[in-house]
Amino acid sequence: MICNYELTAENYHDRMANDLFWSVSQFKEFDRCEAMGLASVRGLYRREETDALLIGSYVDAYFSGELGQFIEEHRDVMFSKRGGGLLAKFQRADDMIQAVTKQPLMMDYLAGEKQVIQTAELFGVPWKIKMDVYRPGERIVDLKCVKDFGDLWDDSFGGRRSWVEFWGYDIQGAVYQRVVEAVTGKKLPFYLVAVTKEKIPDVAVIQIPQHILDAAAGLVEAKIERFDLIKSGDVEPRRCEKCEYCRQTKKLVEPVVYEIEEAE
Ligand SMILES: [Zn+2]
């Protein structure tokens, strides 16, 4: 399957582009809940833009050089009507930007081509990626704004996981690395430049090692065929009955019998 649709910064997030290509965020949504993933691709569901998400988007926009456009689009939500500065609840974003800017190592890893789009076929389906920072022949870097660097409980995993795996950044690295390799023939290391949303932001530059990227690629390979059949409408999605989308669209038919779950 070869896809000749030309992706640009303008159409990257379009319905058409999402139909034609798989993206890491689509895969992660399907992996969390197939019904939610499908609704999201079809434009029937969109995750709510919380204040925490907006703070991250602001920091992203600052370092990708898209701050002007971001401010234009979020003037009413994030900025004061009078002075035009960030509303108090969003000022953490400026602390985060400063925490990154004062680290020469982070600034070095954030230097390169910004928001670079590439497409390639992987695991039998077409993918699109948009890299935060691309240094051709050298490395791929993604900027992450997270709550903190603590582990998180993962229901589907049945245990605690590191924030890197909880948010699927290993999957992102695996797909980005393979798309770049398919396009250029070069296998590049994948790094996260990460800053936390804590009062005193924590910072890190992290390389995700190859064996973890390879394991994540294996997971994508094992699941993408079913997800693609769901996306094309050939297989019915399973509902998790727990996520926001499932709660919004839940229809109760009959009572369930209360059961105590046995610990394994
Ligand atoms: Zn669900």
Side-chain angles (χ1 to χ4, degrees), residues 53-67 70 93 96-97 110 114-115 132 142-145 193 195:
L53 282 178
L54 283 171
I55 286 176
S57 304
Y58 180 91
V59 175
D60 280 342
Y62 177 88
F63 287 107
S64 67
E66 293 166 329
L67 193 59
F70 180 85
M96 293 164 71
I97 288 168
L110 289 175
K114 304 283 175 80
Q115 304 299 314
D132 280 350
D142 212 82
L143 173 65
K144 295 299 179 197
C145 303
V193 167
V195 55

Side-chain angles (χ1 to χ4, degrees), residues 200-237:
I200 310 287
D202 202 355
V203 288
V205 177
I206 299 166
Q207 181 182 1
I208 304 192
Q210 194 57 44
H211 71 272
I212 293 184
L213 296 179
D214 290 343
L219 181 109
V220 176
E221 189 170 18
K223 294 184 172 186
I224 195 65
E225 190 182 352
R226 173 178 166 84
F227 290 175
D228 199 50
L229 287 169
I230 294 168
K231 194 173 163 182
S232 60
D234 295 318
V235 167
E236 279 296 302

Side-chain angles (χ1 to χ4, degrees), residues 32-36 238-247:
R32 212 173 304 141
C33 172
E34 293 173 354
M36 185 253 287
R238 280 194 278 259
R239 296 169 56 89
C240 75
E241 301 298 359
K242 285 180 180 167
C243 73
E244 242 175 54
Y245 172 77
C246 286
R247 281 181 278 138

Side-chain angles (χ1 to χ4, degrees), residues 139-157:
R139 63 190 176 220
I140 305 162
V141 179
D142 212 82
L143 173 65
K144 295 299 179 197
C145 303
V146 294
K147 187 162 163 276
D148 56 45
F149 292 151
D151 294 347
L152 294 120
W153 178 265
D154 188 335
D155 242 359
S156 58
F157 183 68

Side-chain angles (χ1 to χ4, degrees), residues 104-116 118 131-142 180 184 186-189 191:
L105 183 72
M106 298 182 96
M107 293 309 282
D108 178 34
Y109 274 73
L110 289 175
E113 297 175 24
K114 304 283 175 80
Q115 304 299 314
V116 177
Q118 288 187 351
M131 291 174 275
D132 280 350
V133 183
Y134 177 44
R135 293 262 282 255
E138 197 178 337
R139 63 190 176 220
I140 305 162
V141 179
D142 212 82
V180 170
T184 67
K186 294 216 165 73
K187 187 175 218 153
L188 304 185
Y191 294 87

